[in-house]
Amino acid sequence: MTAVLLLGMAITIRAQMFVVGTEATSTLLMAPSLSLELVTGNYTSLSLNGLWCGGSYVPMLKEAKVKALQPEYRYWFSGRPIHGWFLGAGGIGALYNITHKSKVYDGYALGIGATYGYVWNLTRRLNVEVHSGFGVIMYNRKEYFLHDNYDVYYTQDGQQKSNSKGYYLLPTRLGVTVSYILK
């Protein structure tokens, strides 16, 4: 029974348009990304964007290690997905360890937001998308100065505890994506 269900899902997915892309703005900032998008109907699609940054080459930061995933549901106003104006609702999940000036931020973030954008079809398969998004991001992190002994000051019962929790209203997506339609 499970095999029949998986086969049915594979046939359904195979018949849909599938798009792969990269966000050019994050790649220029030394944080490469990969996005996958699956058209689910005449007006809708599902998107998943992954971002990774791991090193000391990020401008203005001493060190930045970030891993993030952004799932998104998109509604296309043109009635033709992957073309024209869209509105998206999505989430974000990130793990990070960032050193900025003499302060360390080590933790995770979760959030929700909305995205608005436009896609231009350059060729039959090549697209350029501009988008911007805004959302609420909740964070839970260890925040300390670079030369603090965090292990001593913030350990309770043998466990390191976070010392900073809260939320921000921030841009969640802002950039230009170059994508290619596989099918």
Side-chain angles (χ1 to χ4, degrees):
M1 180 65 174
T2 305
V4 172
L5 181 62
L6 290 174
L7 181 60
M9 286 174 41
I11 291 170
T12 303
I13 289 172
R14 208 170 133 216
Q16 302 298 320
M17 188 183 306
F18 189 69
V19 181
V20 64
T22 186
E23 193 164 309
T25 47
S26 68
T27 301
L28 289 174
L29 292 172
M30 305 297 183
S33 72
L34 178 67
S35 65
L36 305 171
E37 189 163 1
L38 178 67
V39 173
T40 56
N42 288 336
Y43 290 89
T44 61
S45 66
L46 292 173
S47 171
L48 180 64
N49 188 46
L51 172 79
W52 174 81
C53 168
S56 57
Y57 47 79
V58 177
M60 300 184 319
L61 299 175
K62 287 186 179 179
E63 187 174 338
K65 294 178 183 168
V66 179
K67 296 175 189 170
L69 283 177
Q70 290 182 282
E72 185 173 58
Y73 174 82
R74 292 181 171 184
Y75 178 84
W76 297 86
F77 293 105
S78 67
R80 180 177 155 212
I82 319 299
H83 173 79
W85 293 103
F86 70 87
L87 181 63
I92 184 169
L95 298 172
Y96 59 90
N97 186 343
I98 297 172
T99 303
H100 179 60
K101 296 184 180 177
S102 63
K103 206 158 189 186
V104 177
Y105 305 91
D106 182 11
Y108 68 89
L110 299 171
I112 58 170
T115 306
Y116 191 66
Y118 190 84
V119 174
W120 286 277
N121 303 107
L122 299 179
T123 67
R124 186 170 163 250
R125 296 198 180 268
L126 187 63
N127 301 323
V128 172
E129 170 188 318
V130 292
H131 52 264
S132 68
F134 197 77
V136 177
I137 309 294
M138 182 277 307
Y139 64 89
N140 186 356
R141 65 184 176 215
K142 297 179 262 185
E143 186 175 319
Y144 55 96
F145 288 98
L146 197 54
H147 301 292
D148 283 352
N149 191 351
Y150 188 87
D151 297 340
V152 173
Y153 297 137
Y154 299 105
T155 300
Q156 186 176 29
D157 299 327
Q159 295 285 339
Q160 285 188 353
K161 301 292 182 183
S162 64
N163 61 345
S164 181
K165 297 178 184 180
Y167 69 92
Y168 291 120
L169 298 173
L170 291 171
T172 55
R173 305 258 344 237
L174 185 61
V176 177
T177 298
V178 177
S179 60
Y180 186 79
I181 299 172
L182 296 176
K183 177 161 173 99

